[in-house]
Coordinates of all heavy atoms in Angstrom, one line a residue:
R1 N 2.9 -12.8 -12.2 CA 2.1 -13.9 -12.4 C 2.5 -14.8 -13.6 O 2.2 -15.9 -13.6 CB 0.7 -13.5 -12.6 CG 0.0 -12.9 -11.5 CD -1.5 -12.5 -11.7 NE -2.1 -12.1 -10.6 CZ -2.8 -10.9 -10.5 NH1 -3.0 -10.2 -11.6 NH2 -3.4 -10.5 -9.4
N2 N 3.4 -14.3 -14.4 CA 3.8 -15.0 -15.6 C 5.2 -15.5 -15.5 O 6.2 -15.2 -16.2 CB 3.7 -14.0 -16.8 CG 2.4 -13.4 -17.0 OD1 1.4 -14.2 -17.0 ND2 2.3 -12.1 -17.2
I3 N 5.3 -16.5 -14.5 CA 6.6 -17.1 -14.2 C 6.4 -18.6 -14.3 O 5.3 -19.1 -14.3 CB 7.2 -16.7 -12.9 CG1 6.3 -17.0 -11.8 CG2 7.6 -15.2 -12.9 CD1 6.8 -16.7 -10.4
D4 N 7.5 -19.3 -14.4 CA 7.6 -20.8 -14.4 C 6.8 -21.3 -13.2 O 7.1 -20.9 -12.1 CB 8.9 -21.3 -14.5 CG 9.1 -22.8 -14.8 OD1 8.4 -23.6 -14.1 OD2 10.0 -23.1 -15.6
S5 N 6.0 -22.4 -13.4 CA 5.2 -22.9 -12.3 C 6.1 -23.5 -11.3 O 5.7 -23.8 -10.1 CB 4.2 -24.0 -12.8 OG 4.9 -25.0 -13.5
L6 N 7.4 -23.8 -11.7 CA 8.4 -24.4 -10.6 C 8.5 -23.4 -9.5 O 8.7 -23.9 -8.3 CB 9.8 -24.6 -11.4 CG 10.9 -24.8 -10.4 CD1 10.8 -26.2 -9.8 CD2 12.2 -24.7 -11.1
F7 N 8.5 -22.1 -9.7 CA 8.6 -21.2 -8.6 C 7.5 -21.2 -7.7 O 7.7 -21.0 -6.5 CB 8.9 -19.8 -9.2 CG 10.2 -19.8 -10.0 CD1 10.2 -19.4 -11.3 CD2 11.4 -20.2 -9.4 CE1 11.4 -19.3 -12.1 CE2 12.6 -20.1 -10.2 CZ 12.5 -19.7 -11.5
E8 N 6.3 -21.4 -8.2 CA 5.1 -21.5 -7.4 C 5.2 -22.8 -6.5 O 5.0 -22.8 -5.3 CB 3.8 -21.5 -8.1 CG 3.6 -20.3 -8.8 CD 2.3 -20.3 -9.6 OE1 1.6 -21.3 -9.8 OE2 2.0 -19.2 -10.2
Q9 N 5.6 -23.9 -7.1 CA 5.7 -25.2 -6.4 C 6.9 -25.0 -5.3 O 6.6 -25.5 -4.2 CB 6.2 -26.3 -7.4 CG 6.4 -27.6 -6.7 CD 7.0 -28.6 -7.7 OE1 6.9 -28.5 -9.0 NE2 7.5 -29.7 -7.2
T10 N 7.9 -24.3 -5.7 CA 9.0 -24.1 -4.7 C 8.5 -23.3 -3.5 O 8.8 -23.6 -2.3 CB 10.2 -23.3 -5.4 OG1 10.7 -24.2 -6.4 CG2 11.3 -22.9 -4.5
A11 N 7.7 -22.3 -3.8 CA 7.1 -21.4 -2.7 C 6.4 -22.3 -1.7 O 6.5 -22.1 -0.4 CB 6.3 -20.3 -3.3
R12 N 5.5 -23.1 -2.3 CA 4.7 -24.0 -1.3 C 5.6 -24.9 -0.5 O 5.4 -25.1 0.7 CB 3.7 -24.9 -2.2 CG 2.6 -24.1 -2.7 CD 1.5 -25.0 -3.4 NE 0.9 -26.0 -2.5 CZ 0.0 -25.7 -1.6 NH1 -0.4 -24.4 -1.4 NH2 -0.4 -26.6 -0.8
E13 N 6.6 -25.5 -1.2 CA 7.5 -26.4 -0.4 C 8.3 -25.6 0.7 O 8.4 -26.1 1.8 CB 8.5 -27.0 -1.4 CG 7.9 -28.0 -2.3 CD 8.9 -28.5 -3.4 OE1 10.0 -28.0 -3.5 OE2 8.5 -29.3 -4.3
V14 N 8.7 -24.4 0.4 CA 9.5 -23.7 1.4 C 8.5 -23.2 2.5 O 8.9 -23.4 3.7 CB 10.1 -22.5 0.7 CG1 10.6 -21.4 1.8 CG2 11.3 -22.8 -0.2
V15 N 7.4 -22.8 2.2 CA 6.4 -22.4 3.3 C 6.1 -23.6 4.2 O 6.1 -23.5 5.4 CB 5.2 -21.8 2.7 CG1 4.1 -21.6 3.8 CG2 5.5 -20.4 2.1
R16 N 5.9 -24.7 3.5 CA 5.6 -26.0 4.3 C 6.7 -26.3 5.2 O 6.5 -26.6 6.5 CB 5.3 -27.1 3.4 CG 4.9 -28.4 4.1 CD 4.6 -29.5 3.2 NE 4.5 -29.0 1.9 CZ 4.5 -29.7 0.7 NH1 4.4 -31.0 0.8 NH2 4.5 -29.2 -0.4
A17 N 7.9 -26.3 4.8 CA 9.1 -26.6 5.6 C 9.2 -25.6 6.7 O 9.6 -26.0 7.9 CB 10.4 -26.6 4.7
V18 N 9.1 -24.3 6.5 CA 9.3 -23.3 7.5 C 8.2 -23.4 8.5 O 8.4 -23.3 9.7 CB 9.3 -21.8 6.8 CG1 9.3 -20.8 7.8 CG2 10.6 -21.8 6.0
C19 N 6.9 -23.6 8.1 CA 5.8 -23.7 9.1 C 6.0 -25.0 9.8 O 5.7 -24.9 11.1 CB 4.5 -23.7 8.3 SG 4.1 -22.1 7.6
S20 N 6.4 -26.1 9.3 CA 6.6 -27.3 10.1 C 7.6 -27.2 11.0 O 7.7 -27.9 12.0 CB 6.8 -28.5 9.1 OG 8.1 -28.4 8.5
A21 N 8.6 -26.2 10.9 CA 9.6 -25.9 11.8 C 9.2 -25.0 12.9 O 9.9 -24.5 13.8 CB 10.9 -25.4 11.2
G22 N 7.9 -24.6 12.8 CA 7.3 -23.7 13.9 C 7.3 -22.3 13.7 O 7.2 -21.5 14.6
Y23 N 7.4 -21.8 12.5 CA 7.4 -20.5 12.1 C 6.0 -20.0 11.6 O 5.4 -20.7 10.9 CB 8.4 -20.1 11.1 CG 9.8 -20.3 11.5 CD1 10.5 -21.4 11.5 CD2 10.6 -19.1 11.8 CE1 11.8 -21.5 11.8 CE2 11.9 -19.1 12.1 CZ 12.6 -20.4 12.1 OH 13.9 -20.5 12.5
D24 N 5.7 -18.7 12.0 CA 4.6 -18.1 11.3 C 5.2 -17.3 10.2 O 6.4 -17.0 10.2 CB 3.8 -17.2 12.2 CG 2.9 -17.9 13.2 OD1 2.5 -19.0 12.9 OD2 2.6 -17.4 14.3
I25 N 4.3 -17.0 9.2 CA 4.8 -16.3 7.9 C 4.4 -14.9 7.8 O 3.2 -14.5 8.1 CB 4.3 -17.1 6.6 CG1 4.7 -18.6 6.7 CG2 4.8 -16.4 5.4 CD1 6.3 -18.8 6.8
V26 N 5.3 -14.0 7.4 CA 5.0 -12.6 7.0 C 5.4 -12.5 5.6 O 6.5 -13.1 5.1 CB 5.8 -11.7 7.9 CG1 5.6 -10.2 7.5 CG2 5.7 -11.9 9.4
S27 N 4.6 -11.8 4.8 CA 4.9 -11.6 3.4 C 4.3 -10.3 2.9 O 3.7 -9.5 3.7 CB 4.4 -12.7 2.5 OG 3.1 -12.6 2.2
G28 N 4.5 -10.0 1.7 CA 4.1 -8.7 1.1 C 2.6 -8.5 0.9 O 2.2 -7.4 0.6
G29 N 1.8 -9.5 1.2 CA 0.5 -9.4 1.3 C -0.4 -9.2 0.1 O -1.6 -8.8 0.2
T30 N 0.1 -9.5 -1.1 CA -0.7 -9.3 -2.3 C -1.1 -10.6 -2.8 O -0.7 -11.7 -2.4 CB 0.1 -8.5 -3.5 OG1 1.0 -9.4 -4.2 CG2 0.8 -7.3 -3.0
E31 N -2.1 -10.5 -3.7 CA -2.6 -11.8 -4.4 C -1.9 -12.1 -5.7 O -2.4 -12.8 -6.5 CB -4.2 -11.5 -4.6 CG -4.4 -10.4 -5.6 CD -5.9 -10.2 -5.9 OE1 -6.7 -10.9 -5.4 OE2 -6.2 -9.3 -6.7
K32 N -0.8 -11.4 -5.9 CA -0.1 -11.6 -7.2 C 1.1 -12.5 -7.1 O 1.8 -12.6 -6.0 CB 0.4 -10.2 -7.7 CG -0.7 -9.3 -7.9 CD -0.2 -7.9 -8.3 CE 0.4 -7.9 -9.7 NZ 0.9 -6.6 -10.1
G33 N 1.3 -13.3 -8.1 CA 2.5 -14.1 -8.3 C 2.8 -15.1 -7.1 O 1.8 -15.6 -6.5
T34 N 4.0 -15.3 -6.7 CA 4.3 -16.2 -5.7 C 3.9 -15.7 -4.3 O 3.8 -16.4 -3.4 CB 5.8 -16.7 -5.7 OG1 6.6 -15.5 -5.8 CG2 6.1 -17.6 -6.8
M35 N 3.7 -14.4 -4.2 CA 3.2 -13.8 -3.0 C 1.8 -14.4 -2.6 O 1.6 -14.8 -1.5 CB 3.0 -12.3 -3.1 CG 4.2 -11.5 -2.5 SD 3.9 -9.8 -2.2 CE 4.3 -9.1 -3.8
A36 N 1.0 -14.7 -3.7 CA -0.3 -15.3 -3.4 C -0.1 -16.8 -3.0 O -0.8 -17.2 -2.0 CB -1.2 -15.3 -4.7
V37 N 0.9 -17.4 -3.5 CA 1.2 -18.8 -3.2 C 1.6 -18.9 -1.7 O 1.2 -19.7 -0.9 CB 2.2 -19.5 -4.1 CG1 2.6 -20.9 -3.7 CG2 1.6 -19.5 -5.6
V38 N 2.5 -18.0 -1.4 CA 3.0 -18.0 0.0 C 1.9 -17.7 1.0 O 1.8 -18.4 2.0 CB 4.1 -16.9 0.1 CG1 4.5 -16.6 1.5 CG2 5.4 -17.3 -0.6
A39 N 1.0 -16.7 0.7 CA 0.0 -16.4 1.6 C -1.0 -17.6 1.8 O -1.3 -18.0 2.9 CB -0.8 -15.2 1.1
G40 N -1.3 -18.2 0.7 CA -2.3 -19.4 0.8 C -1.6 -20.5 1.5 O -2.3 -21.2 2.4
A41 N -0.4 -20.9 1.2 CA 0.3 -22.0 1.9 C 0.6 -21.6 3.3 O 0.4 -22.6 4.2 CB 1.6 -22.2 1.2
A42 N 0.8 -20.4 3.7 CA 1.0 -20.1 5.1 C -0.3 -20.3 5.9 O -0.3 -20.9 7.0 CB 1.4 -18.6 5.2
M43 N -1.5 -19.9 5.4 CA -2.7 -20.2 6.0 C -3.0 -21.7 6.1 O -3.5 -22.2 7.1 CB -3.9 -19.5 5.3 CG -3.8 -18.0 5.4 SD -3.8 -17.4 7.1 CE -5.4 -17.7 7.6
E44 N -2.6 -22.5 5.1 CA -2.8 -23.9 5.0 C -1.9 -24.6 6.1 O -2.4 -25.6 6.8 CB -2.6 -24.4 3.7 CG -2.7 -25.9 3.5 CD -2.5 -26.4 2.1 OE1 -2.4 -25.6 1.2 OE2 -2.4 -27.7 2.0

């Protein structure tokens, strides 16, 4: 959880790009760090 916010922003951008290309997302499933960002962005 204690990382530069750039990495969280990057995670959202990557998930958006991947989802817009027609992919569903699989991840480690925790609420910690960028895993939480990936999970939330995937649902969004």
Side-chain angles (χ1 to χ4, degrees):
R1 292 183 176 132
N2 299 315
I3 57 175
D4 190 314
S5 62
L6 167 71
F7 298 122
E8 293 179 359
Q9 177 186 343
T10 297
R12 287 187 61 76
E13 291 171 358
V14 167
V15 171
R16 182 176 355 168
V18 171
C19 290
S20 69
Y23 290 83
D24 285 335
I25 304 297
V26 180
S27 78
T30 79
E31 63 179 0
K32 297 176 72 177
T34 50
M35 267 196 270
V37 175
V38 166
M43 293 301 289
E44 180 180 346

